[in-house]
Short mmCIF file of all heavy atoms in Angstrom, two decimals:
data_model
loop_
_atom_site.label_atom_id
_atom_site.label_comp_id
_atom_site.label_asym_id
_atom_site.label_seq_id
_atom_site.Cartn_x
_atom_site.Cartn_y
_atom_site.Cartn_z
N ALA L 222 -8.56 8.37 -7.71
CA ALA L 222 -9.00 8.24 -6.31
C ALA L 222 -10.05 7.13 -6.21
O ALA L 222 -10.58 6.66 -7.21
CB ALA L 222 -9.62 9.55 -5.85
N ARG L 223 -10.27 6.73 -4.99
CA ARG L 223 -11.32 5.73 -4.69
C ARG L 223 -12.25 6.31 -3.64
O ARG L 223 -11.84 7.05 -2.74
CB ARG L 223 -10.68 4.45 -4.17
CG ARG L 223 -10.00 3.69 -5.28
CD ARG L 223 -9.55 2.29 -4.83
NE ARG L 223 -9.19 1.46 -5.96
CZ ARG L 223 -8.11 1.63 -6.72
NH1 ARG L 223 -7.30 2.61 -6.48
NH2 ARG L 223 -7.85 0.81 -7.72
N TRP L 224 -13.51 5.95 -3.76
CA TRP L 224 -14.54 6.37 -2.82
C TRP L 224 -14.74 5.25 -1.80
O TRP L 224 -15.07 4.12 -2.17
CB TRP L 224 -15.85 6.66 -3.52
CG TRP L 224 -16.97 6.96 -2.60
CD1 TRP L 224 -17.94 6.09 -2.20
CD2 TRP L 224 -17.22 8.16 -1.90
NE1 TRP L 224 -18.77 6.70 -1.31
CE2 TRP L 224 -18.37 7.98 -1.11
CE3 TRP L 224 -16.60 9.40 -1.87
CZ2 TRP L 224 -18.90 8.98 -0.32
CZ3 TRP L 224 -17.12 10.39 -1.09
CH2 TRP L 224 -18.26 10.20 -0.32
N GLN L 225 -14.53 5.56 -0.52
CA GLN L 225 -14.78 4.62 0.57
C GLN L 225 -15.38 5.42 1.73
O GLN L 225 -14.82 5.44 2.81
CB GLN L 225 -13.47 3.95 0.96
CG GLN L 225 -12.85 3.14 -0.17
CD GLN L 225 -11.42 2.74 0.08
OE1 GLN L 225 -10.71 3.36 0.86
NE2 GLN L 225 -10.97 1.72 -0.64
N GLY L 226 -16.47 6.10 1.43
CA GLY L 226 -17.06 7.02 2.42
C GLY L 226 -16.37 8.37 2.41
O GLY L 226 -16.89 9.35 2.94
N GLN L 227 -15.20 8.41 1.82
CA GLN L 227 -14.44 9.65 1.54
C GLN L 227 -13.59 9.36 0.33
O GLN L 227 -13.43 8.22 -0.07
CB GLN L 227 -13.59 10.06 2.73
CG GLN L 227 -12.42 9.13 2.99
CD GLN L 227 -11.48 9.69 4.07
OE1 GLN L 227 -11.79 10.65 4.74
NE2 GLN L 227 -10.34 9.07 4.23
N LEU L 228 -13.05 10.40 -0.26
CA LEU L 228 -12.19 10.23 -1.42
C LEU L 228 -10.74 10.15 -0.97
O LEU L 228 -10.28 10.99 -0.18
CB LEU L 228 -12.32 11.42 -2.38
CG LEU L 228 -13.42 11.35 -3.37
CD1 LEU L 228 -13.45 12.62 -4.20
CD2 LEU L 228 -13.28 10.17 -4.30
N ALA L 229 -10.03 9.16 -1.48
CA ALA L 229 -8.61 9.04 -1.18
C ALA L 229 -7.90 8.46 -2.39
O ALA L 229 -8.49 7.70 -3.18
CB ALA L 229 -8.40 8.13 0.02
N GLY L 230 -6.66 8.81 -2.57
CA GLY L 230 -5.86 8.29 -3.67
C GLY L 230 -4.47 7.94 -3.19
O GLY L 230 -3.99 8.48 -2.18
N GLU L 231 -3.83 7.03 -3.90
CA GLU L 231 -2.44 6.66 -3.65
C GLU L 231 -1.66 6.94 -4.92
O GLU L 231 -1.45 6.05 -5.74
CB GLU L 231 -2.36 5.17 -3.28
CG GLU L 231 -2.99 4.83 -1.96
CD GLU L 231 -2.87 3.35 -1.62
OE1 GLU L 231 -2.05 2.65 -2.25
OE2 GLU L 231 -3.59 2.93 -0.73
N PRO L 232 -1.26 8.20 -5.11
CA PRO L 232 -0.64 8.57 -6.37
C PRO L 232 0.71 7.89 -6.59
O PRO L 232 1.47 7.66 -5.66
CB PRO L 232 -0.45 10.08 -6.26
CG PRO L 232 -0.48 10.37 -4.79
CD PRO L 232 -1.32 9.31 -4.18
N GLY L 233 0.94 7.57 -7.84
CA GLY L 233 2.20 7.00 -8.26
C GLY L 233 2.96 7.91 -9.20
O GLY L 233 3.98 7.54 -9.77
N SER L 234 2.43 9.14 -9.38
CA SER L 234 3.05 10.12 -10.28
C SER L 234 2.65 11.52 -9.89
O SER L 234 1.61 11.70 -9.21
CB SER L 234 2.65 9.87 -11.74
OG SER L 234 1.29 10.17 -11.93
N ASP L 235 3.42 12.52 -10.32
CA ASP L 235 3.05 13.90 -10.08
C ASP L 235 1.72 14.22 -10.78
O ASP L 235 0.94 15.02 -10.28
CB ASP L 235 4.12 14.86 -10.57
CG ASP L 235 5.38 14.86 -9.70
OD1 ASP L 235 5.29 14.36 -8.54
OD2 ASP L 235 6.42 15.32 -10.15
N TRP L 236 1.48 13.60 -11.92
CA TRP L 236 0.25 13.80 -12.67
C TRP L 236 -0.97 13.40 -11.81
O TRP L 236 -1.97 14.10 -11.78
CB TRP L 236 0.28 12.98 -13.96
CG TRP L 236 -0.92 13.15 -14.85
CD1 TRP L 236 -1.13 14.11 -15.77
CD2 TRP L 236 -2.07 12.29 -14.87
NE1 TRP L 236 -2.34 13.92 -16.39
CE2 TRP L 236 -2.93 12.79 -15.87
CE3 TRP L 236 -2.46 11.15 -14.19
CZ2 TRP L 236 -4.15 12.19 -16.17
CZ3 TRP L 236 -3.64 10.55 -14.49
CH2 TRP L 236 -4.48 11.07 -15.47
N GLN L 237 -0.86 12.30 -11.11
CA GLN L 237 -1.95 11.86 -10.25
C GLN L 237 -2.16 12.82 -9.08
O GLN L 237 -3.29 13.10 -8.68
CB GLN L 237 -1.74 10.44 -9.76
CG GLN L 237 -1.97 9.43 -10.88
CD GLN L 237 -1.61 8.01 -10.48
OE1 GLN L 237 -0.52 7.77 -9.95
NE2 GLN L 237 -2.51 7.09 -10.74
N VAL L 238 -1.08 13.35 -8.53
CA VAL L 238 -1.20 14.36 -7.47
C VAL L 238 -1.91 15.59 -8.06
O VAL L 238 -2.83 16.15 -7.41
CB VAL L 238 0.18 14.75 -6.88
CG1 VAL L 238 0.04 15.92 -5.88
CG2 VAL L 238 0.82 13.55 -6.20
N ALA L 239 -1.51 16.02 -9.25
CA ALA L 239 -2.17 17.16 -9.89
C ALA L 239 -3.65 16.91 -10.10
O ALA L 239 -4.49 17.79 -9.88
CB ALA L 239 -1.47 17.48 -11.21
N GLN L 240 -4.01 15.71 -10.51
CA GLN L 240 -5.41 15.37 -10.72
C GLN L 240 -6.17 15.40 -9.40
O GLN L 240 -7.31 15.84 -9.34
CB GLN L 240 -5.57 14.02 -11.40
CG GLN L 240 -5.04 13.99 -12.83
CD GLN L 240 -5.84 14.86 -13.79
OE1 GLN L 240 -6.91 15.35 -13.49
NE2 GLN L 240 -5.29 15.06 -14.97
N LEU L 241 -5.53 14.89 -8.33
CA LEU L 241 -6.17 14.97 -7.02
C LEU L 241 -6.36 16.42 -6.56
O LEU L 241 -7.40 16.74 -5.95
CB LEU L 241 -5.34 14.19 -6.00
CG LEU L 241 -5.48 12.67 -6.03
CD1 LEU L 241 -4.36 12.01 -5.23
CD2 LEU L 241 -6.86 12.25 -5.49
N LEU L 242 -5.41 17.27 -6.86
CA LEU L 242 -5.57 18.69 -6.55
C LEU L 242 -6.75 19.28 -7.32
O LEU L 242 -7.55 20.05 -6.78
CB LEU L 242 -4.31 19.47 -6.91
CG LEU L 242 -3.27 19.60 -5.81
CD1 LEU L 242 -1.98 20.21 -6.35
CD2 LEU L 242 -3.80 20.41 -4.65
N ARG L 243 -6.83 18.93 -8.59
CA ARG L 243 -7.96 19.40 -9.44
C ARG L 243 -9.28 18.92 -8.90
O ARG L 243 -10.26 19.67 -8.80
CB ARG L 243 -7.73 18.91 -10.86
CG ARG L 243 -8.21 19.82 -11.94
CD ARG L 243 -7.67 19.42 -13.30
NE ARG L 243 -8.02 18.09 -13.71
CZ ARG L 243 -9.16 17.75 -14.32
NH1 ARG L 243 -10.05 18.67 -14.58
NH2 ARG L 243 -9.39 16.51 -14.68
N LEU L 244 -9.33 17.64 -8.53
CA LEU L 244 -10.54 17.05 -7.98
C LEU L 244 -10.94 17.73 -6.66
O LEU L 244 -12.09 18.05 -6.44
CB LEU L 244 -10.33 15.56 -7.75
CG LEU L 244 -11.51 14.74 -7.24
CD1 LEU L 244 -12.70 14.83 -8.16
CD2 LEU L 244 -11.07 13.28 -7.09
N SER L 245 -9.95 18.02 -5.83
CA SER L 245 -10.22 18.72 -4.58
C SER L 245 -10.83 20.09 -4.83
O SER L 245 -11.77 20.50 -4.16
CB SER L 245 -8.92 18.91 -3.79
OG SER L 245 -8.39 17.66 -3.40
N ALA L 246 -10.29 20.81 -5.79
CA ALA L 246 -10.80 22.14 -6.13
C ALA L 246 -12.23 22.08 -6.61
O ALA L 246 -13.07 22.90 -6.24
CB ALA L 246 -9.91 22.80 -7.17
N VAL L 247 -12.53 21.11 -7.46
CA VAL L 247 -13.88 20.92 -7.98
C VAL L 247 -14.87 20.70 -6.85
O VAL L 247 -16.02 21.17 -6.89
CB VAL L 247 -13.94 19.73 -8.96
CG1 VAL L 247 -15.35 19.28 -9.25
CG2 VAL L 247 -13.21 20.06 -10.25
N LEU L 248 -14.44 20.03 -5.81
CA LEU L 248 -15.33 19.68 -4.69
C LEU L 248 -15.29 20.69 -3.54
O LEU L 248 -15.90 20.48 -2.50
CB LEU L 248 -14.98 18.28 -4.18
CG LEU L 248 -15.18 17.16 -5.21
CD1 LEU L 248 -14.57 15.87 -4.69
CD2 LEU L 248 -16.64 17.00 -5.54
N GLY L 249 -14.50 21.74 -3.71
CA GLY L 249 -14.37 22.75 -2.65
C GLY L 249 -13.71 22.16 -1.42
O GLY L 249 -14.11 22.44 -0.30
N ALA L 250 -12.69 21.35 -1.65
CA ALA L 250 -12.04 20.62 -0.57
C ALA L 250 -10.54 20.92 -0.53
O ALA L 250 -10.01 21.68 -1.37
CB ALA L 250 -12.28 19.13 -0.73
N ARG L 251 -9.86 20.32 0.46
CA ARG L 251 -8.40 20.40 0.57
C ARG L 251 -7.83 19.00 0.29
O ARG L 251 -8.49 18.00 0.52
CB ARG L 251 -7.98 20.81 1.98
CG ARG L 251 -8.44 22.20 2.34
CD ARG L 251 -8.20 22.53 3.80
NE ARG L 251 -9.10 21.70 4.61
CZ ARG L 251 -8.75 21.03 5.69
NH1 ARG L 251 -7.53 21.09 6.16
NH2 ARG L 251 -9.62 20.29 6.37
N LEU L 252 -6.60 18.96 -0.16
CA LEU L 252 -5.90 17.69 -0.36
C LEU L 252 -4.87 17.55 0.77
O LEU L 252 -3.96 18.38 0.89
CB LEU L 252 -5.22 17.66 -1.73
CG LEU L 252 -4.56 16.33 -2.10
CD1 LEU L 252 -5.58 15.19 -2.14
CD2 LEU L 252 -3.86 16.47 -3.46
N VAL L 253 -5.03 16.52 1.58
CA VAL L 253 -4.22 16.34 2.78
C VAL L 253 -3.54 14.99 2.77
O VAL L 253 -4.16 13.96 2.44
CB VAL L 253 -5.14 16.45 4.05
CG1 VAL L 253 -4.31 16.28 5.32
CG2 VAL L 253 -5.89 17.76 4.06
N GLY L 254 -2.26 14.96 3.13
CA GLY L 254 -1.48 13.74 3.19
C GLY L 254 -1.65 13.03 4.53
O GLY L 254 -2.18 13.60 5.50
N GLU L 255 -1.18 11.82 4.60
CA GLU L 255 -1.27 11.00 5.82
C GLU L 255 -0.64 11.69 7.03
O GLU L 255 -1.06 11.47 8.16
CB GLU L 255 -0.56 9.65 5.61
CG GLU L 255 -1.33 8.71 4.74
CD GLU L 255 -0.59 7.39 4.57
OE1 GLU L 255 0.42 7.13 5.26
OE2 GLU L 255 -1.05 6.59 3.73
N ASP L 256 0.39 12.46 6.79
CA ASP L 256 1.11 13.10 7.90
C ASP L 256 0.60 14.51 8.18
O ASP L 256 1.27 15.28 8.90
CB ASP L 256 2.62 13.12 7.61
CG ASP L 256 3.19 11.72 7.53
OD1 ASP L 256 2.70 10.83 8.26
OD2 ASP L 256 4.10 11.48 6.72
N GLY L 257 -0.53 14.89 7.56
CA GLY L 257 -1.12 16.20 7.81
C GLY L 257 -0.65 17.31 6.90
O GLY L 257 -1.10 18.45 7.03
N GLU L 258 0.25 17.01 5.99
CA GLU L 258 0.69 18.06 5.08
C GLU L 258 -0.42 18.41 4.11
O GLU L 258 -1.29 17.61 3.79
CB GLU L 258 1.97 17.62 4.31
CG GLU L 258 1.76 16.57 3.26
CD GLU L 258 1.72 15.14 3.80
OE1 GLU L 258 1.60 14.96 5.02
OE2 GLU L 258 1.81 14.22 2.99
#
Side-chain angles (χ1 to χ4, degrees):
R223 287 189 167 69
W224 174 260
Q225 298 166 338
Q227 69 172 10
L228 274 177
E231 293 180 15
S234 69
D235 288 343
W236 182 86
Q237 287 173 311
V238 174
Q240 293 294 349
L241 282 165
L242 269 172
R243 213 166 58 87
L244 182 58
S245 297
V247 165
L248 297 170
R251 296 172 291 135
L252 185 60
V253 181
E255 287 180 9
D256 297 326
E258 71 278 14

